[in-house]
């Protein structure tokens, strides 16, 4: 097992990709703290994971945009495990809603508080502990392919994910010399519970415009995260691993080109 007895924190682990990431680390022998600000959903995931990994998983309800709650979560981690080896900053505000001219300042700032400031605060707490450890640690941030190719009516989300790209690079050059690697996974379309309510025509159009013809699933993103967290990626630092089936490689979707 690549991650036997490693202590891992995964934010946004009450549904979809976050759950898949937590499961993969547990399968590889890790001890995992799963986090979300949605108590009921997190409890359900914890119950599910505890069936097979009772002694290896713990849960903590916290809003990562709140500094006091982030601090309290890490104190709970200290009491439970006394260390952190890997942090996965997966929690995300999707920023779905208004067009640019209609975005309230409060909405824009809330998206950045969760996606960018939350990543910053979680990482600072983790780093303060990693630096005291003999084997320092790894941070994997969750970006998006939209940071390079924007999508409509998601200005706050796009801005936050562009910020993640820059923050990852800044962290990598500051922390790399101190033994801590920082990288980003940038997904494209992921099949989540949001897809379950889409019309089949919408799903098929999306798939048509993915060069590989298929969207990613949570496990695909989890595999990329685990790779970057592993010793197999020991000289990868400050990088952005795109997992989008080739969407970022094309200039125009196929139904525009033809």
């Amino acid at each position: 097992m690549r991650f036997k007895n490693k202590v891992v924190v995964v934010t946004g682990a009450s549904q979809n990709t976050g759950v898949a990431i937590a499961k993969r680390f547990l399968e590889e022998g890790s001890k995992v703290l799963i986090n979300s600000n949605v108590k009921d959903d997190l409890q359900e995931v914890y119950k599910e994971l505890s069936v097979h990994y009772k002694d290896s998983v713990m849960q903590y309800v916290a809003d990562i945009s709140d500094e006091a709650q982030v601090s309290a979560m890490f104190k709970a981690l200290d009491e439970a495990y006394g260390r952190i080896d890997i942090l996965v900053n997966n929690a995300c505000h999707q920023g779905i809603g208004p067009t640019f001219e209609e975005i309230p300042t409060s909405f824009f700032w809330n998206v950045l508080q969760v996606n960018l400031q939350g990543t910053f605060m979680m990482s600072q707490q983790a780093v303060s502990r990693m630096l005291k450890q003999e084997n320092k640690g790894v941070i994997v941030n969750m970006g998006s392919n939209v940071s390079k190719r924007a999508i409509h009516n998601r200005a706050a989300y796009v801005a936050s994910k562009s910020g993640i790209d820059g923050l990852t690079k800044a962290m990598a050059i500051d922390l790399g010399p101190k033994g801590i690697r920082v990288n980003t996974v940038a997904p494209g379309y992921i099949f989540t519970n949001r897809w379950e309510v889409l019309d089949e025509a919408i799903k098929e159009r999306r798939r048509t415009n993915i060069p590989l013809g298929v969207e990613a699933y949570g496990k695909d993103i989890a595999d990329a995260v685990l790779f970057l967290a592993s010793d197999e990626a020991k000289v990868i630092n400050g990088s952005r691993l795109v997992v989008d089936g080739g969407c970022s490689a094309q200039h125009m979707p196929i139904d525009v080109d033809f």
Side-chain angles (χ1 to χ4, degrees):
M1 293 184 177
R2 290 181 294 175
F3 300 99
K4 187 174 182 180
N5 294 325
K6 295 289 187 181
V7 176
V8 182
V9 174
V10 182
T11 64
S14 61
Q15 61 177 346
N16 299 321
T17 307
V19 178
I21 294 169
K23 282 182 177 178
R24 287 290 292 115
F25 275 113
L26 288 165
E27 289 168 0
E28 295 259 9
S30 300
K31 299 182 184 301
V32 180
L33 183 152
I34 56 172
N35 154 261
S36 173
N37 66 337
V38 184
K39 182 177 180 180
D40 291 344
D41 290 352
L42 187 65
Q43 180 67 27
E44 285 302 310
V45 173
Y46 175 73
K47 288 179 180 178
E48 175 190 339
L49 296 177
S50 294
V51 173
H52 298 291
Y53 306 103
K54 182 178 181 180
D55 297 327
S56 299
V57 62
M58 65 178 289
Q59 61 176 325
Y60 198 94
V61 179
D63 179 350
I64 65 161
S65 69
D66 184 301
E67 189 169 12
Q69 293 185 45
V70 170
S71 179
M73 176 166 56
F74 274 89
K75 287 179 181 177
L77 182 73
D78 292 339
E79 293 174 3
Y81 299 125
R83 63 180 294 110
I84 176 172
D85 298 294
I86 299 162
L87 169 63
V88 182
N89 285 308
N90 172 72
C92 179
H93 187 316
Q94 293 286 340
I96 297 171
T99 61
F100 177 80
E101 68 274 17
E102 297 172 338
I103 298 174
T105 301
S106 58
F107 180 87
F108 185 88
W109 179 236
N110 186 234
V111 175
L112 265 67
Q113 281 181 308
V114 174
N115 297 354
L116 191 54
Q117 181 176 288
T119 294
F120 165 76
M121 293 191 299
M122 287 292 300
S123 298
Q124 268 204 335
Q125 288 283 343
V127 166
S128 70
R129 290 156 172 82
M130 289 176 176
L131 290 174
K132 298 173 184 177
Q133 301 168 181
E134 182 178 354
N135 296 316
K136 303 308 181 190
V138 180
I139 297 173
V140 181
N141 296 325
M142 194 60 64
S144 172
N145 64 353
V146 307
S147 67
K148 304 296 185 184
R149 301 173 68 87
I151 53 178
H152 293 284
N153 301 333
R154 301 280 292 281
Y157 179 75
V158 171
S160 72
K161 292 303 183 179
S162 298
I164 291 293
D165 288 353
L167 180 61
T168 296
K169 293 175 183 177
M171 291 169 65
I173 64 168
D174 281 354
L175 299 173
K178 300 172 184 177
I180 299 171
R181 294 190 299 107
V182 187
N183 292 290
T184 293
V185 171
Y189 286 126
I190 309 173
F191 192 100
T192 65
N193 54 14
R194 290 172 54 210
W195 278 57
E196 294 171 0
V197 298
L198 293 177
D199 290 339
E200 286 302 317
I202 295 175
K203 295 178 187 176
E204 286 309 309
R205 184 184 185 279
R206 290 183 177 184
R207 288 167 181 148
T208 297
N209 291 320
I210 301 171
L212 282 181
V214 62
E215 69 278 11
Y217 283 76
K219 184 180 179 301
D220 300 311
I221 308 305
D223 286 342
V225 169
L226 267 70
F227 166 68
L228 288 176
S230 74
D231 287 342
E232 295 164 352
K234 64 184 178 182
V235 293
I236 299 177
N237 187 41
S239 293
R240 178 175 178 268
L241 176 56
V242 182
V243 187
D244 71 355
C247 287
S248 298
Q250 64 186 355
H251 179 58
M252 289 289 183
I254 193 170
D255 60 1
V256 175
D257 275 348
F258 297 98

